[in-house]
Amino acid sequence: MKQISTAIISNTELMPGVHLVCAKAPGIAATARPGQFVMMNCGQELTLRRPLSIHQVANSNQLYLLFNIVGKGTLWLSHCQKGDSLDLLGPLGNSFSIEPASKKMLLLAGGIGIAPLTFLAQQAIGQGKSVTLLLGASTANQLYPQQALPGGIQTIVTTEDGSAGKKGMLTDILPDFIDWADQIYACGPLAMYQTIATQKQHMEKPIQISLEVRMGCGLGACYGCSIKTRHGMKQVCRDGPVFNLEEIIWQEVKI
């Protein structure tokens, strides 16, 4: 874990209200693993840092962060321009795990849940794995651009209004891919996890999920991100953000 001050290389609005920031951060990018996150200082007016998933890394020195504008911190970051300074702490948390024997990886990304999964896909493709991505959004203009994904991924799109891909939720088509996959990973809204947890009763394969919750410190000191699991209370920042789906008591989680 390192605290660094770095400059923004680019800040692009990929979809309405969703930005992709690239910064030169070799101290973090070189050691980051898929699923980990950084804590960012978002201006002098905000005391607490904001957690952001590591979206991608490039050349072991460039760090990409994908975020939705949801509050003052992310609004501040959306206005930052090339050359502006960022104060980052990371990489933090645990990571997704890829079994060496696995050949077929199934990724489920609901909306902004694509944020940590792109880095995972990048690594899996680099290891020669076959990657299928189920990419869901409410409508076409909220879909992550497929041209921004690492090459070699098979992508199946769903939208709730049917404006692109298959109409419905990605959980509607999930059962069609269970038998194909060696490992399954997911990131998305709470409702998506709850639906998958119900479907999981008919699945034998574990599913690794990434939880995105409000955090105070990101270091395990404040216990502000604690959740109930079948193994007792866990801190998302220190014990996660990656958990096995069946570990979480979903009725008790508030994201």
Side-chain angles (χ1 to χ4, degrees):
M1 178 185 67
K2 294 185 177 181
Q3 181 175 353
I4 66 169
S5 179
T6 184
I8 290 177
I9 296 173
S10 63
N11 186 350
T12 306
E13 187 174 24
L14 287 187
M15 300 101 78
V18 178
H19 284 246
L20 178 65
V21 165
C22 176
K24 189 173 182 179
I28 295 177
T31 59
R33 294 170 294 161
Q36 291 186 300
F37 64 98
V38 297
M39 295 294 288
M40 177 180 294
N41 187 335
C42 295
Q44 297 180 352
E45 295 182 2
L46 299 175
T47 304
L48 297 178
R49 293 174 178 267
R50 297 297 188 266
L52 292 173
S53 295
I54 296 174
H55 181 58
Q56 286 192 61
V57 298
N59 303 319
S60 296
N61 63 13
Q62 291 183 4
L63 186 72
Y64 289 83
L65 304 170
L66 182 75
F67 63 95
N68 193 15
I69 300 175
V70 294
K72 292 181 179 179
T74 46
L75 179 62
W76 173 87
L77 181 56
S78 72
H79 291 154
C80 291
Q81 300 178 359
K82 180 179 179 179
D84 287 346
S85 179
L86 294 180
D87 182 347
L88 303 176
L89 183 65
L92 298 169
N94 65 356
S95 62
F96 294 110
S97 63
I98 299 177
E99 297 295 334
S102 296
K103 296 180 179 180
K104 301 174 182 178
M105 325 292 288
L106 179 63
L107 280 54
L108 287 68
I112 198 66
I114 189 64
L117 294 179
T118 303
F119 190 10
L120 174 63
Q122 182 184 37
Q123 186 177 85
I125 291 293
Q127 294 180 10
K129 312 293 187 183
S130 178
V131 177
T132 294
L133 170 67
L134 306 186
L135 180 64
S138 57
T139 189
N141 70 356
Q142 289 297 318
L143 280 168
Y144 185 85
Q146 293 189 44
Q147 63 269 23
L149 291 167
I153 298 176
Q154 179 188 10
T155 305
I156 292 89
V157 169
T158 66
T159 52
E160 293 178 36
D161 63 1
S163 54
K166 299 177 183 294
K167 184 176 182 179
M169 315 291 285
L170 62 81
T171 49
D172 296 337
I173 62 173
L174 171 58
D176 299 334
F177 295 88
I178 296 299
D179 291 339
W180 172 85
D182 294 323
Q183 287 189 264
I184 305 171
Y185 309 83
C187 186
L190 178 58
M192 185 183 95
Y193 290 142
Q194 291 172 328
T195 300
I196 297 174
T198 300
Q199 293 174 320
K200 185 69 173 61
Q201 299 172 11
H202 308 287
M203 305 178 198
E204 294 181 357
K205 296 174 183 176
I207 300 177
Q208 295 178 44
I209 60 98
S210 176
L211 276 180
E212 297 185 358
V213 301
R214 291 183 179 273
M215 294 183 185
C217 67
L219 302 173
C222 71
Y223 291 86
C225 62
S226 296
I227 59 169
K228 287 185 179 181
T229 76
R230 304 193 187 283
H231 306 292
M233 297 297 293
K234 299 287 185 179
Q235 293 171 272
V236 174
C237 68
R238 189 180 65 178
D239 301 307
V242 177
F243 296 90
N244 284 328
L245 179 82
E246 58 269 23
E247 284 185 70
I248 311 298
I249 301 175
W250 291 105
Q251 297 88 340
E252 302 289 339
V253 175
K254 295 179 175 59
I255 299 179

